[in-house]
Amino acid sequence: MKSILEIMADELRPLFSARGYDEKFAMVKVSNRPDLCEYQCNGAMAAAKQYKKKPIDIATEVAEAARDCSMFSEVNAVMPGFINLRISNEWLADHMEKMAQQEKLGLNEESEPKTVVIDFGGANAAKPLHVGHLRSAVIGESIQRMARYMGNHVISDVHLGDWGLQMGLIITELQERKPELPYFDPDFKGEYPAEAPFTIAELEEIYPAASKKSKVDEVFAEKAHQATLRLQEGFAPYTAIWNHIMNVSKKDLKRNYDNLDVHFDLWKGESDAEPYIPGLIDDLVKKGLAVESQGALVVDIAEESDTREYPPCIVRKSDGAALYATSDLATIIQREQDFHPDRYIYVVDKRQELHFTQVFRVSRKAGYVKPETELTFLGFGTMNGKDGGPFKTRDGGVMRLEYLIHDINEEVEKKIREKGRVPEDEIAETVRRVGLAALKYGDLSNQATKDYIFDVDRFTSFEGNTGPHIQYMDVRIKSILTRYAEEKGAAAAQAAVIRPAESDSEKKLQMVLAKFGEAVESAWNEIAPHKICAYMSEVSDAFSAFYLDNNILGETDENRQKGFIALIRLTSRVLETCMDLIGVKAPDHM
């Protein structure tokens, strides 16, 4: 379904062409002076230069012809050469009704759906999720929802950090604490225990203790390094411990991600890329791309068009160890074999930009991806406290994500109980949904690449540009629809159709709803969830103005009331679709 701007341009193109002007000048945009007009065509200004005529003369010719178009209620040519347009209320109501009849509300899905791999940057196994993991989770989840809604085939991968020195540190610390375990008995034969020798709480304490010890104890650090190498060589006892670490970690990570309503198709990690690394190194050497430099193997990624200096990508250290770049390149080879993606999107801290520039360039130089494959790095900014610095706990530590969620929910519950509108048996679920909206909208309403201040009080407010406010608007609409159906019957509610607007606020709401498809397509094309949030805010404001202008349930004109009902029903569908695209649901009461 074409947008209103596209339809307007379609109407104006033949009018320009019939008068000897190029159709390209028939572009229409939303007016920045709504007091003068709703839409505007400025093509006569550019056409005047090409055709050596006064802009107002061209605008007048086209405007006179456009007055016969049924979609316009008003067309005026104004100095120095603008064509001001107002849309017909009858045409707009018909357009709204057509939109309401479509499952995806007039959205134009991808004409050529793509296979898209979304990499969430990877939390580390054996460590709890902290606030630093929030952005990749909520931004990535929104992106995968938008990608699917647009008709693409999506493979999302949490891509855990599960194969580095941290594993050797944990194994070595575990051996010092529990040397009697069979994994450390060289004479042990048979099956290793199915039960992990630690709980998630113990595991999360073991790693920081081991990491701290390795910084002051050289002997311990060397043991950890050797344990890491033995694990990566496939030493059976350490592999068994590693499996325990992964099983315990994944269970806890999944619980935390579920609390955020964030989900992945794949729970892969760096370890899954390990088998591909030897072949990768050999291939880069054979192609003459990887060369020795001070004992390490590096790939030059510099290009003639570069305006800055890029260091070479190190794919193997002088001691033979692989690096993150090696692992990410091997992962691309694995994904190419398994999925043949058309596009990759990496949702990672923006400080990793150089790393991914190196990985992308090596992938292209080596031919691991097709020339037309899109490699997108979405680097996000940091979440900061009110002091402008990194978000911390009161004692200065890094806050666990589950504690942040708890603090948000605690504040939300306090506000919900103060209002006293939610039945007791719904409070827990309402708090969960509203808390998630506060958290996700608070993050996603900011442009992903920018840093932002995390403000619990502002994000949990039921007023202003917040997630709870958006939810409250939808809850209000659903309450009206329910009461209308109870009074008039479900059949009457379903039979209601959108009518031509009779007030400015009614028309404004219709015009904002008509932008749904454009908003979603733009957000996806630019990988910009904040545009969904901005659009929801615009819809909510337009509905609020309409609601204040009209006593919907008290309207005595039955047909007019039905028009109101049909319009707010569409408003609810638009809001709920947008909320779903950022991973949020409205409760039944607020």
Side-chain angles (χ1 to χ4, degrees):
M1 186 174 175
K2 290 185 176 182
S3 70
I4 286 180
L5 292 177
E6 290 172 325
I7 297 171
M8 285 185 171
D10 287 346
E11 290 283 338
L12 294 181
R13 281 192 191 98
L15 304 184
F16 272 87
S17 179
R19 282 146 192 84
Y21 308 120
D22 196 308
E23 290 183 349
K24 69 181 181 183
F25 297 115
M27 301 306 294
V28 179
K29 67 174 187 177
V30 176
S31 171
N32 57 9
R33 286 289 307 274
D35 55 319
L36 299 178
C37 61
E38 295 164 347
Y39 301 93
Q40 194 171 69
C41 173
N42 300 337
M45 303 292 290
K49 296 178 182 178
Q50 181 172 327
Y51 296 100
K52 313 299 183 188
K53 298 178 71 172
K54 292 181 180 178
I56 191 62
D57 291 342
I58 297 174
T60 300
E61 287 181 61
V62 176
E64 288 177 355
R67 293 190 182 103
D68 293 330
C69 298
S70 62
M71 76 175 300
F72 301 125
S73 63
E74 186 178 330
V75 183
N76 293 305
V78 298
M79 291 294 290
F82 302 128
I83 302 174
N84 289 351
L85 305 163
R86 287 192 185 276
I87 200 165
S88 158
N89 291 11
E90 289 74 21
W91 186 94
L92 180 58
D94 182 63
H95 183 77
M96 287 284 91
E97 194 57 36
K98 288 175 182 175
M99 175 181 166
Q101 298 306 315
Q102 296 195 20
E103 181 185 354
K104 290 196 173 180
L105 304 168
L107 176 82
N108 295 318
E109 293 183 303
E110 295 272 24
S111 56
E112 296 181 7
K114 296 177 180 177
T115 297
V116 182
V117 168
I118 302 176
D119 187 313
F120 280 64
N124 287 313
K127 299 182 187 178
L129 290 179
H130 57 74
V131 293
H133 296 110
L134 175 68
R135 301 215 72 189
S136 62
V138 300
I139 294 170
E141 178 67 21
S142 180
I143 290 170
Q144 73 167 319
R145 287 172 181 244
M146 286 194 295
R148 287 197 172 100
Y149 195 72
M150 289 296 297
N152 297 290
H153 173 51
V154 178
I155 302 106
S156 57
D157 183 6
V158 64
H159 207 66
L160 298 171
D162 65 355
W163 202 238
L165 179 60
Q166 77 222 50
M167 295 301 170
L169 288 167
I170 292 168
I171 291 169
T172 306
E173 178 69 11
L174 186 65
Q175 184 173 14
E176 291 203 352
R177 296 184 181 200
K178 301 181 179 183
E180 73 281 1
L181 291 173
Y183 314 98
F184 309 118
D185 181 355
D187 299 320
F188 181 79
K189 306 293 181 186
E191 297 288 326
Y192 290 104
E195 190 75 19
F198 41 69
T199 64
I200 184 62
E202 290 172 324
L203 183 60
E204 290 175 354
E205 187 273 326
I206 286 172
Y207 172 71
S211 180
K212 185 177 181 180
K213 189 182 296 185
S214 70
K215 290 178 173 61
V216 295
D217 187 335
E218 290 184 6
V219 174
F220 181 87
E222 179 57 26
K223 284 182 179 179
H225 180 69
Q226 292 303 317
T228 303
L229 290 177
R230 296 199 75 183
L231 169 65
Q232 294 179 353
E233 290 167 356
F235 184 51
Y238 292 179
T239 300
I241 296 174
W242 180 84
N243 284 325
H244 287 314
I245 293 172
M246 294 310 299
N247 289 335
V248 170
S249 288
K250 282 183 180 180
K251 183 177 180 181
D252 186 64
L253 286 168
K254 285 180 178 177
R255 177 182 63 82
N256 278 279
Y257 279 121
D258 283 347
N259 288 340
L260 281 175
D261 201 7
V262 170
H263 309 284
F264 311 98
D265 299 306
L266 302 177
W267 281 78
K268 299 279 190 183
E270 294 164 356
S271 60
D272 293 287
E274 186 72 12
Y276 296 84
I277 289 178
L280 162 69
I281 298 295
D282 289 344
D283 185 65
L284 290 173
V285 171
K286 285 177 184 176
K287 288 176 176 174
L289 295 174
V291 295
E292 191 170 323
S293 174
Q294 298 179 346
L297 273 181
V298 304
V299 179
D300 182 20
I301 65 162
E303 297 177 356
E304 288 185 9
S305 59
D306 288 341
T307 56
R308 54 168 286 192
E309 187 175 335
Y310 286 101
C313 178
I314 304 173
V315 294
R316 190 176 67 196
K317 291 168 66 177
S318 56
D319 63 0
L323 294 95
Y324 286 124
T326 326
S327 177
D328 282 333
L329 286 165
T331 299
I332 286 176
I333 291 173
Q334 180 186 27
R335 288 167 174 168
E336 285 293 318
Q337 291 180 7
D338 293 346
F339 309 118
H340 312 291
D342 301 298
R343 183 175 194 178
Y344 292 83
I345 302 174
Y346 290 81
V347 186
V348 193
D349 188 306
K350 65 183 179 183
R351 290 170 290 191
Q352 296 294 314
E353 184 174 9
L354 173 59
H355 167 79
F356 282 99
T357 297
Q358 292 175 320
V359 169
F360 293 169
R361 288 192 176 188
V362 174
S363 296
R364 293 205 186 279
K365 288 185 76 169
Y368 297 145
V369 297
K370 301 183 291 293
E372 64 272 19
T373 300
E374 295 180 72
L375 299 171
T376 302
F377 170 74
L378 180 61
F380 53 79
T382 57
M383 181 182 108
N384 297 323
K386 288 184 179 180
D387 62 356
F391 195 90
K392 301 279 188 180
T393 58
R394 287 191 181 92
D395 59 6
V398 178
M399 180 177 281
R400 291 176 64 143
L401 190 52
E402 60 185 301
Y403 297 162
L404 178 67
I405 294 172
H406 175 270
D407 288 351
I408 286 275
N409 287 352
E410 196 173 60
E411 185 65 24
V412 166
E413 181 170 358
K414 183 173 73 174
K415 291 179 178 179
I416 285 174
R417 290 191 180 279
E418 283 174 359
K419 288 183 177 292
R421 296 172 182 167
V422 179
E424 186 65 34
D425 62 348
E426 293 182 16
I427 283 182
E429 178 61 13
T430 300
V431 167
R432 189 188 73 82
R433 291 190 182 192
V434 177
L436 265 185
L439 191 67
K440 289 187 173 184
Y441 192 94
D443 186 296
L444 293 171
S445 58
N446 299 278
Q447 190 171 338
T449 56
K450 295 182 178 179
D451 301 344
Y452 76 95
I453 302 296
F454 191 90
D455 186 337
V456 173
D457 293 332
R458 183 167 68 84
F459 290 176
T460 58
S461 174
F462 284 30
E463 299 175 353
N465 185 20
T466 69
H469 175 70
I470 304 292
Q471 289 176 309
Y472 184 66
M473 291 295 103
D474 187 50
V475 168
R476 174 172 279 174
I477 293 170
K478 289 190 292 187
S479 173
I480 295 170
L481 294 175
T482 298
R483 288 172 59 190
Y484 181 84
E486 289 171 350
E487 293 174 11
K488 307 290 185 177
Q494 290 301 317
V497 296
I498 296 171
R499 289 165 47 85
E502 296 181 19
S503 67
D504 290 342
S505 63
E506 187 175 8
K507 187 173 186 181
K508 172 65 174 176
L509 178 56
Q510 292 183 11
M511 290 172 62
V512 170
L513 294 176
K515 296 196 296 185
F516 167 78
E518 294 170 73
V520 175
E521 290 164 39
S522 175
W524 164 241
N525 290 336
E526 298 177 35
I527 314 296
H530 72 278
K531 290 199 162 190
I532 298 290
C533 295
Y535 176 66
M536 277 194 284
S537 178
E538 189 179 2
V539 172
S540 295
D541 289 347
F543 166 73
S544 182
F546 169 74
Y547 175 80
L548 292 174
D549 273 358
N550 299 280
N551 184 357
I552 299 171
L553 291 174
E555 175 57 53
T556 55
D557 184 317
E558 188 174 334
N559 287 327
R560 192 171 184 226
Q561 187 182 52
K562 283 183 178 179
F564 290 167
I565 292 298
L567 181 57
I568 67 169
R569 185 171 62 210
L570 178 59
T571 304
S572 178
R573 284 181 63 195
V574 166
L575 284 176
E576 291 187 351
T577 300
C578 289
M579 280 191 278
D580 187 67
L581 290 175
I582 67 166
V584 168
K585 293 184 177 71
D588 293 326
H589 301 93
M590 279 181 75

